[in-house]
Amino acid sequence: MTNIVVTGRIPHPGIERLGTVGSVWAWDDDEPIPTDVRNAHLAHADVAVTLLTDRVDDAFLDAAPQLRMVANVAVGYNNIDVAACQRRNVIVTNTPGVLTDATADLAMALVLMSTRRLGEGERLIRSGAAWQWGMFMMLGRGLQGRQLGIVGMGGIGVALARRARSFGMTIAYHNRSAVNADVANELGATRHELRQLLATSDVVSLNCPYSPETHHLIDADALQSMRSDAFLINTARGPIVDEAALVAALRNGAIAGAGLDVFEHEPTVHPDLLQLDNVVLVPHLGSATVETRTAMAMLAADNVVAVVNGGAPLTPVG
Ligand code: GLV
């Protein structure tokens, strides 16, 4: 019998599917699994189904001597030491594709929230302060004819570009490789060096994976090279941005505003961000719809089913 350990709560259909190929033990609490409990179950695990809050490193793998597979219920896999898994012949899978639309929706929502000052407006109403419609009250920025600069033009970047086009934005991007010509034509998207993209975009959206190469890609210098009326949106991973430098840039007017779904030291948020009105803060909700989280659990489970049945993983990493 294959022993499957699920290290956090996932939608039930995923658990049911996993149950068709093995005996499933799942941590069923919103609190993170205590390490000793996790390790006790990993000791007999053939497969681990993990969340982005799990650190799958040598210590995790040492606790799981018979592990054959790690199925991460996330598209990002920076929480997994893929090289360590490969050294031990542990297959790693992620959940690309199924969360593309939900994450692009959230990125577009942050573009709108930041440029139209919706967080600030909501806080004003909730404060109970007196207010009245005014010609110059809380003016934001329109999107028509403005350039969206997308850093990381994978599936989510392209899906965001499609949404932004329907709001009248033009699309520029920075990516290691050029996007397929049909997609570039459809979007009218032009490829730029990072500094040029930052210097010319009205809104910059980060949609690249987090890796040593993208750690602090947006640092003080990068923020300085942005326009003072520009906005930064991050729905990718927090440490891509130097959060202290971002605080300074928001405070001294180097950029106009930001919309953040992810944080450098998640779940801790830089305390100064909480004091700033020109930043919208949401708690890592990119893929947080019922449909998407269910699809992610099912794709992770489908990967497990494929491997346990002797087939190839559907969406392998590395
Ligand atoms: C969410 O952040 C994911 O990587 O799936």
Side-chain angles (χ1 to χ4, degrees), residues 238-263:
I240 298 171
V241 177
D242 177 343
E243 216 163 76
L246 176 62
V247 166
L250 289 167
R251 197 173 261 150
N252 67 26
I255 66 171
L260 306 178
D261 184 40
V262 288
F263 302 91

Side-chain angles (χ1 to χ4, degrees), residues 52 73-76 95 99 235-237 284 287 296:
L52 59 82
V73 190
V75 65
T95 60
L99 44 70
T235 54
R237 283 292 184 268
H284 205 149
S287 63
M296 290 165 70

Side-chain angles (χ1 to χ4, degrees), residues 203-311:
V203 180
V204 172
S205 173
L206 305 178
N207 298 99
C208 54
Y210 175 61
S211 67
E213 291 78 54
T214 60
H215 179 79
H216 283 191
L217 184 70
I218 306 299
D219 58 7
D221 274 1
L223 289 159
Q224 272 307 326
S225 65
M226 286 175 67
R227 297 166 44 151
S228 59
D229 58 356
F231 295 82
L232 178 72
I233 307 300
N234 190 5
T235 54
R237 283 292 184 268
I240 298 171
V241 177
D242 177 343
E243 216 163 76
L246 176 62
V247 166
L250 289 167
R251 197 173 261 150
N252 67 26
I255 66 171
L260 306 178
D261 184 40
V262 288
F263 302 91
E264 184 168 1
H265 303 291
E266 212 167 297
T268 302
V269 176
H270 193 300
D272 294 4
L273 285 175
L274 304 176
Q275 310 305 323
L276 291 168
D277 253 337
N278 56 348
V279 60
V280 175
L281 307 167
V282 292
H284 205 149
L285 298 177
S287 63
T289 69
V290 172
E291 298 83 353
T292 300
R293 290 281 163 82
T294 304
M296 290 165 70
M298 293 305 268
L299 178 52
D302 285 343
N303 268 293
V304 174
V305 170
V307 170
V308 172
N309 285 337

Side-chain angles (χ1 to χ4, degrees), residues 72-103:
N72 207 36
V73 190
V75 65
Y77 50 88
N78 54 292
N79 59 310
I80 297 180
D81 184 341
V82 176
C85 290
Q86 280 170 344
R87 282 196 295 275
R88 298 170 193 239
N89 292 320
V90 171
I91 293 168
V92 179
T93 60
N94 67 343
T95 60
V98 291
L99 44 70
T100 297
D101 284 324
T103 308

Side-chain angles (χ1 to χ4, degrees), residues 124-168:
L124 173 74
I125 298 277
R126 286 183 187 275
S127 76
W131 65 278
Q132 201 166 34
W133 183 90
M135 181 64 80
F136 297 100
M137 182 189 175
M138 239 177 233
L139 299 187
R141 291 292 180 151
L143 298 180
Q144 285 287 332
R146 305 282 178 189
Q147 176 174 301
L148 174 64
I150 299 178
V151 180
M153 197 64 161
I156 296 171
V158 168
L160 171 62
R162 292 206 170 100
R163 284 153 177 76
R165 288 275 290 175
S166 69
F167 284 85

